[in-house]
Amino acid sequence: MKSEDTPFEGGPMDGRVLPVLLGITGHPPKTYRIPVPAPDGGPPTVLVYRRVPRARGAHTGLTRGWKYSYDPTGRTGQGRKWPWSKPVRAQDATPKGKPDDADG
């Protein structure tokens, strides 16, 4: 498998460069999760890094490489976004267009 030395910015891994395995498209994964064991033996803390472009080409505007930026929220991705999927919206108690029973 092919790997690429990828820099990390922000968080505890700031300034480090790690070899990251590339996917079938030749790009590193969009998120990189690093489990850090807890000192007291509890559940591990997971550091989340997001892939961002390192630099753009001057003439073509194409990405010249990738780096990982620290995501302090640690939220996981929303999964795949298919073009035919409806956007996820907050559930309301009353569907739109229908009056509430309390309204009369």
Side-chain angles (χ1 to χ4, degrees):
M1 297 204 84
K2 192 172 180 181
S3 66
E4 179 180 286
D5 289 338
T6 309
F8 287 77
E9 287 186 347
M13 299 290 291
D14 190 26
R16 295 189 186 186
V17 178
L18 297 177
V20 176
L21 291 176
L22 303 179
I24 197 165
T25 59
H27 298 290
K30 289 184 180 180
T31 57
Y32 196 84
R33 293 175 181 84
I34 304 170
V36 178
D40 60 352
T45 303
V46 179
L47 304 174
V48 178
Y49 284 84
R50 305 262 177 225
R51 182 183 74 186
V52 294
R54 188 184 318 179
R56 299 268 181 191
H59 299 289
T60 61
L62 298 175
T63 302
R64 287 190 162 177
W66 300 97
K67 63 184 175 181
Y68 283 105
S69 179
Y70 180 63
D71 184 5
T73 60
R75 59 187 157 76
T76 59
Q78 280 71 30
R80 297 200 169 139
K81 296 179 184 174
W82 301 105
W84 55 84
S85 300
K86 293 182 181 178
V88 178
R89 294 187 180 136
Q91 293 292 328
D92 192 15
T94 305
K96 293 190 180 215
K98 295 185 178 180
D100 242 353
D101 287 339
D103 290 339

